[in-house]
Structure formats: C-alpha cells, structure tokens
Amino acid sequence: MKTSPPMSPSYYVGLMSGTSLDGIDAALVAIAPHSPPELIATHVSPMPQSLHNLLLNLCHAEQVNFAELAEAESAFCQLQANAVKALLIQEGVTAEQIHAIGSHGQTIEHAPDGHNGGPAYTLQLDNPSLLAELTGCTVVADFRRRDLAAGGQAAPLAPAFHQALFGHQGGEQLVLNLGGFANVTWLPSNAAAQVIGFDTGPANVLLDAWFSKHHNGRFDQNGTWAAGGQIDQTLLQQLLNEPFFHQPPPRSTGRELFHLAWLENKLTGDESAEDVQATLVELTAISVAQGIQQLPSRHNEVTLIVCGGGAHNTYLMARLAVQLPKAIFKSPADLGWPEDWIEAGAFAWLAHQRLHNLPGNLPSVTGASGLRVLGGIYAP
C-alpha cells in the first residue's frame, strides 16, 4: 500500500517588540501539519535610543501629536523590515519562501475594560501595509482587536501558542512568561479541560524603568543591583494593595497601569534606590506565586517552564524559588525553544492560524465569547 510523503513545512517569520523596547525579535519558524512549531533561526535588531525614547513617551502621552505618531510608526516599521531582511539573508531564504510575517506591533496602550466608562480599546503601533512593501512578504497583523470585539481582554495571546508548543508533552504543564509583564499559562493533563492563562502583574517593566532612572543602562544585568538591596516590607505591601492583584481571571494589564509614576507615587522619598529595586523583584515573585494559587492545579510540586527575559535575572529566579519552594523550574530550551523566543514564535504561529482560517484565541484565557480567527492579511 502506497503512503503519501509527509507534507513539507511552511515558513513564517514572527516579529515581537515587547515592553522592554530594546529591539525587534525576528524568529523564523517552520510549521508542518500535526507537529509542534519548530524554531529554525533568530535575529535581533537593536532599537536605536531615539526610537526607544519616542515610543516610551507615546506609551504615556495624554495627548498625541499625529506627526510624532507617524514618525514613530515609520521608524518602527523600517526596523522591523531590517530585522526580517537580515534574518532571511542570514539563513539564505528568499521572501518568496515565507508564507507570512506575523507582526505584533508595539503596544502603546491597552485598556480592555475601557477608560472612564468609555469603550474597550488596545492600540499597537504598526504599519503592516508598509511592512509588506518593504519586505515583499505577506503580513498578518492587528491580532488583538478581534478578540476584544468578541468581549475578550485581547491578552494574553501566547497561551494558545503555549498549547500548540507544549501541549503534546503530556501531563500537566505550567508556562511562566517573564517579559515586561508576567503571565502564566496552565495546560491541563486532561485534554477536555480548558487552558487557563492571565497576566499576574509587572515583571521587567518596573525593574527596567527604575534601573534606567538611576543608571546608564536599560536593565539590571542578572538582578545584581537588586540583590544588593533589602526588601522594604512596608513599600511591598503598598504595592500589593493595587486592586489588579486581587482581580479574578480573565485579566490583563500594561504600561497604562504599571509605570514609573505609579511606583513613585507609592514612595516616601526616604527609601534607598537599591532597596526599591529589591522590593520590585519581590513584587513580581509574590504576584506570580499568588497567580499560580488561582489556577485549578493544587499540586505541591509544580513544574514551571520559564520563558522571557526575566528568566535570565538570577536574583528574580532565586526569589521565585523562595516563593514557590516546591516548584521545579524548567527551561523551554530543553524542548527546542530558548527562553527569549517564545513570544516572537507565537506571532509566526498566529500568522499561520490566520492564513488557514483557524482560531488564534482561547476564550477560557481572554474571556471572549468564542473562538475567533485573529488578524488582518496584507499582501505584498
């Protein structure tokens, strides 16, 4: 009896610029039927300081200048295109071989519950039409707003990819992403049970902002500065009083809530800057632990697959181990996906889902009224 040869994989590029605003992550991903996505290659295009500052200002702007917005969008799109071209040249791949680019864009503000009684909204700075022109590739973008239109939080979107990536492992899986914000995904061992995922609170966003305020740099390497401070229990309790930490899922958050001014409003002025950094690490560790307690899993020994830039913060990982003393920490690199490339990979996968008219959201995660096909398609 003749058997059909296996279908060759399709190639996608996922683009991600997180809340760290440090650059564009570009991931080349192969997706074949009935197999988990495979990471083929990666490239990072660092973000110029001028664009970093411009985007950061837009994230906190009460009023936006249209010319400034256009300047930021154009520069951001050019940086994305450069990242794609560099990745393809690096791997000897042509634009014609890429089925689609999945572009997340740069989140400027995320308000899934609206603002002062207004409609829900989420805004990602992006120009997929220009990106298609610059790269010669089909672009899929604007992934979040369809879930929002269906009554969802539009975030986090990564849990659906976590399911595609790690769900075949068997048994219960718990994925922790430590990006600008921390989110957790529970993949149940029972295939009939619903996946649960939500934001637990800030991770690198406050740590980076406070570090940059006091040092010439964007982040605290290995958490060394924080490790030299003392946890201020009074300040910690004030930070943990934020209502977000006590909301039941589904929930998501962003810079519109957790930013430098939010932190500074909690300070008396007598705190040591180093102690504040140590306290922010503890805030992340405790809020992650509290989030895990909200999951259906009640096992004493939970295995955590930890991804995102925070996985490299030695001090943060040590404090997580204190808050979760029986947890077993596992690197996704052991499963073929290095810590820093899950999010970019997610948007390559979401582009694949869109081209095949397959859902990209999980209503049990976002709270949407049902499964939805996410994103718009922009042909070259």
Side-chain angles (χ1 to χ4, degrees):
M1 177 178 173
K2 259 186 167 181
T3 58
S4 300
M7 293 180 66
S8 59
S10 302
Y11 293 98
Y12 295 83
V13 173
L15 297 178
M16 184 66 190
S17 169
T19 49
S20 60
L21 300 173
D22 56 359
I24 303 294
D25 291 343
L28 180 62
V29 178
I31 301 179
H34 314 301
S35 299
E38 181 185 358
L39 181 64
I40 302 299
T42 64
H43 176 81
V44 179
S45 286
M47 186 172 291
Q49 189 65 45
S50 57
L51 180 57
H52 173 93
N53 294 341
L54 181 55
L55 290 171
L56 192 60
N57 289 338
L58 287 171
C59 287
H60 300 294
E62 292 187 8
Q63 294 183 334
V64 175
N65 179 294
F66 288 122
E68 189 176 57
L69 192 66
E71 178 188 351
E73 187 176 66
S74 178
F76 179 80
C77 186
Q78 185 65 62
L79 189 63
Q80 286 185 304
N82 292 344
V84 172
K85 291 175 183 177
L87 177 64
L88 299 189
I89 290 171
Q90 170 189 305
E91 296 304 310
V93 175
T94 65
E96 290 74 23
Q97 292 175 275
I98 301 301
H99 277 62
I101 296 169
S103 173
H104 172 264
Q106 180 62 57
T107 298
I108 298 301
E109 187 156 311
H110 179 68
D113 299 315
H115 181 69
N116 292 334
Y121 63 93
T122 185
L123 175 62
Q124 283 72 47
L125 189 76
D126 206 359
N127 189 339
S129 296
L130 179 57
L131 185 58
E133 288 286 340
L134 293 174
T135 62
C137 297
T138 295
V139 175
V140 182
D142 189 20
F143 292 100
R144 297 193 181 276
R145 290 195 292 179
R146 184 59 194 274
D147 184 88
L148 194 74
Q153 291 273 308
L157 294 182
F161 180 60
H162 295 159
Q163 184 183 41
L165 201 56
F166 303 124
H168 68 285
Q169 294 291 322
E172 184 181 58
Q173 305 286 332
L174 195 58
V175 184
L176 172 62
N177 176 54
L178 295 171
F181 293 86
N183 53 67
V184 65
T185 302
W186 178 65
L187 303 174
S189 56
N190 179 1
Q194 291 184 321
V195 174
I196 296 176
F198 53 90
D199 288 349
T200 61
N204 297 323
V205 65
L206 293 178
L207 294 172
D208 292 350
W210 187 250
F211 181 85
S212 296
K213 180 180 172 68
H214 297 278
H215 296 83
N216 183 23
R218 292 186 183 176
F219 65 98
D220 183 10
Q221 183 80 36
N222 297 321
T224 303
W225 188 45
Q230 299 293 319
I231 297 166
D232 185 326
Q233 294 295 337
T234 301
L235 173 60
L236 179 62
Q237 289 308 310
Q238 287 192 29
L239 299 177
L240 284 169
N241 285 338
E242 175 61 46
F244 174 82
F245 296 118
H246 308 285
Q247 292 176 15
R251 71 183 196 209
S252 60
T253 189
R255 283 183 180 272
E256 62 287 339
L257 174 57
F258 294 108
H259 48 74
L260 194 57
W262 176 86
L263 169 63
E264 290 175 334
N265 286 337
K266 313 286 186 184
L267 303 178
T268 64
D270 296 327
E271 300 90 353
S272 152
E274 199 173 35
D275 290 351
V276 172
Q277 188 78 353
T279 306
L280 290 174
V281 169
E282 196 72 1
L283 173 68
T284 296
I286 289 178
S287 55
V288 165
Q290 289 179 345
I292 289 174
Q293 290 304 311
Q294 292 181 280
L295 296 169
S297 173
R298 286 292 181 266
H299 297 307
N300 288 329
E301 294 187 3
V302 61
T303 298
L304 273 178
I305 301 172
V306 186
C307 54
H312 303 296
N313 186 321
T314 307
Y315 182 61
L316 173 56
M317 294 302 294
R319 295 312 302 170
L320 278 169
V322 170
Q323 295 297 328
L324 299 166
K326 295 185 178 180
I328 300 168
F329 295 91
K330 185 176 183 178
S331 169
D334 298 336
L335 304 171
W337 281 80
E339 291 87 346
D340 298 321
W341 293 99
I342 304 291
E343 284 194 295
F347 287 92
W349 178 81
L350 283 166
H352 168 270
Q353 294 295 100
R354 178 62 187 89
L355 290 193
H356 291 79
N357 290 314
L358 296 171
N361 68 335
L362 290 174
S364 59
V365 170
T366 66
S369 58
L371 294 169
R372 295 292 185 272
V373 177
L374 307 181
I377 300 173
Y378 300 77

